[in-house]
Amino acid sequence: MPRTPDTVVFDIGNVLIHWDPRVLYREIFADPEEMAHFLEVVCPPEFNLSLDRGRSFKDAITERLELHPEHAEAIAAWDTRWQEMVPGEITATVAILEELRAAGVPLYAITNFSREKFAECEVRFPFLRDAFADVVVSAHEGILKPDPAIYQVLFSRNAIVPEQTIFIDDSATNVAAARNVGMHAHHFTGADGLRAVLADQGFPLTPRG
């Protein structure tokens, strides 16, 4: 690429904070096969994507309850116990974020996230509210990664040049989409690898073994 990045754009789920529905549903289902059925059929990935696209929890949960009343308690838990799916921040990545922030590096985020739960997480994890100049939330825009349009929201709203950014995401599909719109991009598999890549790009981080 013709330009070296000077701006960092983070994904949030499973880059800065852990998110895994199985953390909650292992507590609800003693049988792993029952849990798998619930997450594949009763509240499948498409259900969660509808929330990330902007559907309200009230509407989505009501629909699931009508379709699967036998799982009423577990379905309701997707809302009432949602925070249990997020056991905490990814400490080593948040440390990178804070080092970049302290050095004055421009920081942004693009995330597939529901409206209601993102608001809750901003309270629980203050860095989501304080560290970024802007966060593009899929539910606010009605657009999901890897749709190129969600990256364009960030560019147009903040006068960002794609070639001057590096985007970090745990999804290879989202990383490929970022590269297709002109961004540098890194497929996140761990904080050590991210730190090394950013340091190699010239960002003010100390590589760690």
Side-chain angles (χ1 to χ4, degrees), residues 86-102:
V86 182
E89 67 182 45
I90 301 175
T91 306
T93 315
V94 174
I96 292 171
L97 175 73
E98 294 297 349
E99 287 179 51
L100 295 171
R101 180 184 178 192

Side-chain angles (χ1 to χ4, degrees), residues 38-61:
F38 180 86
L39 295 175
E40 292 168 6
V41 177
V42 180
C43 287
E46 294 77 12
F47 161 76
N48 189 61
L49 286 174
S50 75
L51 298 167
D52 288 352
R53 193 177 286 110
R55 192 177 191 188
S56 72
F57 267 74
K58 180 180 178 180
D59 287 350
I61 295 291

Side-chain angles (χ1 to χ4, degrees), residues 93-134:
T93 315
V94 174
I96 292 171
L97 175 73
E98 294 297 349
E99 287 179 51
L100 295 171
R101 180 184 178 192
V105 173
L107 300 172
Y108 297 86
I110 303 175
T111 182
N112 286 352
F113 223 115
S114 74
R115 184 186 303 270
E116 295 101 323
K117 301 311 178 186
F118 185 73
E120 291 180 12
C121 283
E122 283 186 301
V123 175
R124 183 177 168 192
F125 303 103
F127 64 84
L128 295 180
R129 183 181 63 246
D130 300 334
F132 300 110
D134 187 20

